[in-house]
Amino acid sequence: MPRKASLGADLVIPVLALGFAVYFFWSIADLGWEAKANGVLIGTVLVVLIAIQLARMGNQLAQGTGDLRADPLWLPRDVLGKRVGMVVIAVAFIAVLEWLGLTLSLLLVMGLALWTMGVRKPGAIAGVSFAVAAAAYLLFIAVLDSAFPHGPVEQLLARLFH
Amino acid sequence: MSWEFLAGQFAAQFGLWWLIVPGILLGIVVGILPGFSPQNTLIMLLPLTLALPVDQAFAFMVSLYCANHLAGGIPAILVRIPGSGGAAATTLDGYPMTQKGQAQQALVLSFVASVAGGLITTLTTLALLPWLSQIGLYLRSVEMVVVMLFGLTLIAVIAARDTLKALIAGFFGLLIGVIGTDHIYNAPRATFGFLELYDGVPLVAALIGLFAISEALVMIEEKMIVADEGRARAMRASWADTLEGLRISLRKWWHIVWTSFIGLFIGIVPGAGASIAAFVAYQQSQLWSKHPERYGTGIPEGVIAPEAANNGVTSGTLVPMMALGVPGGTTAAVMMIVLQYHGMVMGPRLFQTDPGLAYGVFVAMAVAYIFMVFTILPLARYMARIVLIETTYLAPIIILVTIVAAFSERQYLFDMGLALVFGVIGYIAHKTNYHVTAMLIGIILGPLFEQYLVRSLRLSEGDIMILFSSTIGNVLWGLLVLSLVLPPARAYLKRLRTANA
């Protein structure tokens, strides 16, 4: 017996797009036609396309060839922890960047990310983390003087070299 | 312009190798990183370029600029992460070549197409500069609406494989592209209350999220990004693979020539850029191909077309700046700052008052491309080895480094978070076969399309018939209709022939 299509996963993008389209229409309700024309045209086509997709999915559900499972988003389960871990670490990186500065925060989260991914050799974790953080410091802070938040490492190195 | 003058210019530019080579190397490094556009880098390096004599400053700037355009294709091919919007179309066939263990050949194809495309269009620009500068005057908003539609038809091309999902992704991208203030009243639309979105969705954050972060989240399912067979082939990689890439490139020389001219013509139009050029070139390459169904599976033409066009843009962008005094893009605007700082006045008079500088800019570009052959081609063999790195190392590096790069375009922490949001959307799109490339095409072209459409409609006070009011525009409309009708017509005839056989 053929495996049923996981329509729950297929629904996520259309639902997101539909929600955004509704919000878009609401946000432009009071604007002049020049500000609306393009968005209304695109949004209307998008809503029609989503309606066709939903009708297609409804048909699959009615015929029993699909169900509302969303497992393609979670499978394979053995890497789900790593995947969620990487997103959480990325959020944490953005959160601590302002306090720790680019170099130190990148060094710490890179080490944590490698460990989350299953790397257990301390030398490899330390080496890769240091190399990435040092390269980021050299390129973004030392050479290009980007406006990244400065933390203890940047301040210390600035005192040493200026 | 005599041959002696030209020879003198070339000799002078070759003498500036000590600036051209560092410019190329820096351009490659920042080109590989999504987020570092040439204009950002040049702005940061203004203290250096303003301190240099103007000819030396220009040699450095154009080298960095051209190398940056070339390097965007490297991560696009190796890890499906375009270094810039202009390289997004390269992922369509470049990455499948990598997955087949042909990363080295794909890189060589990309380098040769970029260098040859850039060189051919630069030499053409040198020879035809007065005439080329007129193109920008003929292609106005009305004609540009049709050029944008050429790019948008690529969504339909991608849609041929999964129509409804690709169209939803493409139109979702187009609607995301409309976020921000409108072009007439500056009224905010769908900004979720974030001031950071008033200028629209930053392209770099979208690019990084949809391609880099989502790809990294997907790649952790496997130990390596290439399958066993591809890995074995990558491990056996030798100079012979570089030579094979060169041989394929030489066989496709005509493909490089005509797609690079698409880049040149689009580059001349102020406001248009490498992204639209690369998408249009890919779409046209597929349209006129004898085997359009093979596009997207990893074929050389799918790498050559966007890369040649992407680099054909480089000289085109400088044409309106040098000939008319109108910068064709942000990078050209930064270059103009340097010229004005040195007291140079852009425009037709420059060719009489300082022909050495006026033509020297394009000679410097040609020389930079020649240097690039020797700088980057030998590196293809070593760059291709990135596919041998385990994803346990590759994925965290990609995610964290590209999030850092997301900051670089506008220097907002907000953009790093936005890249992550796009990463999650891109991951869901990946896993459910909604095409992220179609979404990105929408995000890139949506604002441009709106800009030209609204400008046209304002000129005609809302009369849509203005879109069919110019001869050039109508010719472009005809070609657009042909582009849309030809593929199904050819497929129908093929089916008919097969049925009769």
Side-chain angles (χ1 to χ4, degrees):
Chain A
M1 191 176 158
R3 199 165 184 272
K4 287 184 179 181
S6 303
L7 300 177
D10 274 4
L11 263 177
V12 180
I13 293 288
V15 166
L16 274 177
L18 187 63
F20 178 63
V22 170
Y23 168 64
F24 191 92
F25 288 143
W26 173 79
S27 78
I28 61 169
D30 299 327
L31 304 183
W33 71 265
E34 292 98 333
K36 281 189 203 179
N38 192 40
V40 169
L41 178 74
I42 294 166
T44 308
V45 177
L46 179 62
V47 170
V48 171
L49 290 169
I50 292 168
I52 298 170
Q53 173 75 335
L54 292 179
R56 197 167 78 167
M57 287 178 174
N59 189 37
Q60 280 178 281
L61 282 174
Q63 292 188 342
T65 54
D67 55 35
L68 287 175
R69 281 177 302 118
D71 49 5
L73 298 178
W74 328 121
L75 295 176
R77 281 195 196 278
D78 56 322
V79 294
L80 183 61
K82 289 178 184 176
R83 192 172 281 142
V84 173
M86 292 310 297
V87 174
V88 171
I89 287 168
V91 172
F93 173 50
I94 298 167
V96 300
L97 189 63
E98 258 187 293
W99 290 285
L100 297 181
L102 174 69
T103 318
L104 186 57
S105 54
L106 193 54
L107 179 86
L108 295 175
V109 294
M110 183 58 73
L112 190 59
L114 289 169
W115 189 84
T116 307
M117 286 296 294
V119 180
R120 290 293 179 268
K121 295 176 192 161
I125 293 177
V128 173
S129 305
F130 179 79
V132 171
Y137 173 82
L138 279 175
L139 183 65
F140 296 112
I141 309 281
V143 177
L144 296 171
D145 197 23
S146 305
F148 275 106
H150 284 206
V153 174
E154 287 83 5
Q155 282 161 8
L156 179 71
L157 289 171
R159 259 187 238 139
L160 284 174
F161 293 112
H162 291 285
Chain B
M1 187 173 55
S2 65
W3 288 110
E4 288 80 18
F5 169 77
L6 209 55
Q9 284 294 316
F10 269 95
Q13 294 298 335
F14 272 109
L16 296 176
W17 63 269
W18 55 279
L19 278 167
I20 291 174
V21 173
I24 289 172
L25 294 176
L26 190 57
I28 290 170
V29 171
V30 294
I32 288 172
L33 280 175
F36 260 86
S37 56
Q39 63 266 25
N40 281 358
T41 316
L42 288 178
I43 288 168
M44 288 168 187
L45 293 172
L46 270 178
L48 168 74
T49 47
L50 291 177
L52 288 169
V54 68
D55 57 330
Q56 295 180 10
F58 251 87
F60 179 77
M61 287 192 294
V62 295
S63 309
L64 189 147
Y65 174 49
C66 297
N68 194 285
H69 270 250
L70 175 143
I74 297 170
I77 289 167
L78 294 177
V79 278
R80 201 169 175 265
I81 300 165
S84 63
T90 310
T91 58
L92 292 170
D93 277 276
Y95 190 60
M97 281 187 83
T98 294
Q99 287 180 311
K100 288 194 276 186
Q102 298 173 333
Q104 199 177 332
Q105 288 90 330
L107 285 173
V108 174
L109 282 168
S110 152
F111 297 158
V112 175
S114 299
V115 168
L119 203 53
I120 291 163
T121 49
T122 305
L123 295 176
T124 307
T125 307
L126 260 176
L128 305 173
L129 192 58
W131 294 279
L132 286 174
S133 62
Q134 301 299 311
I135 291 176
L137 301 177
Y138 288 112
L139 289 178
R140 296 155 303 158
S141 337
V142 171
E143 291 80 13
M144 284 310 292
V145 167
V146 198
V147 174
M148 291 298 136
L149 285 172
F150 266 105
L152 289 172
T153 53
L154 188 57
I155 293 176
V157 171
I158 293 170
R161 284 166 229 151
D162 195 343
T163 316
L164 199 52
K165 282 186 171 180
L167 286 174
I168 289 173
F171 275 85
F172 188 21
L174 278 168
L175 200 61
I176 291 171
V178 188
I179 289 177
T181 55
D182 74 279
H183 299 282
I184 307 293
Y185 305 110
N186 274 338
R189 299 168 301 180
T191 56
F192 296 93
F194 291 112
L195 283 175
E196 290 90 341
L197 289 175
Y198 274 42
D199 287 337
V201 170
L203 175 61
V204 170
L207 185 80
I208 284 172
L210 291 176
F211 282 87
I213 297 174
S214 69
E215 185 64 36
L217 290 174
V218 171
M219 76 168 61
I220 59 180
E221 289 170 15
E222 306 292 339
K223 195 169 179 240
M224 301 262 186
I225 56 174
V226 289
D228 289 345
E229 193 190 333
R231 189 160 67 239
R233 200 170 167 183
M235 286 177 86
R236 288 196 306 270
S238 64
W239 292 113
D241 294 303
T242 298
L243 290 175
E244 191 192 337
L246 276 171
R247 267 197 300 273
I248 302 170
S249 310
L250 291 176
R251 277 207 304 271
K252 309 281 180 195
W253 67 272
W254 177 239
H255 211 82
I256 296 175
V257 173
W258 73 264
T259 49
S260 68
F261 279 110
I262 290 178
L264 175 64
F265 292 128
I266 291 178
I268 290 170
V269 183
S275 309
I276 173 76
F279 286 131
V280 170
Y282 186 91
Q283 185 262 348
Q284 288 296 305
S285 170
Q286 183 173 25
L287 178 70
W288 300 109
S289 169
K290 287 176 185 159
H291 41 77
E293 73 286 349
R294 285 172 55 199
Y295 277 70
T297 61
I299 62 166
E301 292 90 334
V303 176
I304 286 172
E307 284 301 311
N310 184 13
N311 284 270
V313 165
T314 52
S315 48
T317 312
L318 298 188
V319 169
M321 179 184 85
M322 302 305 291
L324 305 170
V326 179
T330 328
T331 310
V334 180
M335 291 183 184
M336 212 161 148
I337 292 170
V338 176
L339 282 170
Q340 284 174 344
Y341 177 82
H342 287 281
M344 306 290 172
V345 180
M346 295 287 94
R349 278 187 60 202
L350 188 70
F351 292 85
Q352 269 88 49
T353 56
D354 198 343
L357 178 69
Y359 289 106
V361 169
F362 295 101
V363 174
M365 197 172 258
V367 170
Y369 275 116
I370 294 167
F371 270 107
M372 257 184 262
V373 178
F374 304 104
T375 319
I376 200 158
L377 212 53
L379 298 179
R381 183 181 174 190
Y382 305 102
M383 285 176 176
R385 290 189 174 262
I386 198 170
V387 300
L388 299 174
I389 300 175
E390 288 181 19
T391 56
T392 45
Y393 292 92
L394 206 54
I397 292 173
I398 287 173
I399 291 173
L400 293 172
V401 171
T402 55
I403 283 181
V404 168
F407 177 87
S408 307
E409 186 189 16
R410 309 191 303 171
Q411 321 254 319
Y412 292 160
L413 284 178
F414 174 85
D415 291 357
M416 299 168 88
L418 191 64
L420 199 56
V421 171
F422 273 112
V424 175
I425 294 174
Y427 167 76
I428 298 167
H430 256 297
K431 297 292 271 184
T432 52
N433 299 319
Y434 288 90
H435 301 261
V436 286
T437 312
M439 210 180 281
L440 189 75
I441 292 170
I443 295 172
I444 291 174
L445 300 188
L448 292 170
F449 177 71
E450 180 183 30
Q451 182 188 326
Y452 291 118
L453 179 70
V454 171
R455 202 181 286 166
S456 303
L457 292 177
R458 287 279 289 185
L459 285 172
S460 68
E461 294 175 337
D463 182 5
I464 196 111
M465 290 314 288
I466 193 176
L467 299 178
F468 309 100
S469 63
S470 84
T471 313
I472 297 173
N474 289 341
V475 170
L476 289 172
W477 275 115
L479 291 172
L480 180 67
V481 172
L482 191 69
S483 296
L484 290 170
V485 171
L486 202 61
R490 281 168 64 183
Y492 174 74
L493 287 173
K494 199 174 172 182
R495 274 202 306 274
L496 211 64
R497 272 199 298 269
T498 317
N500 290 340

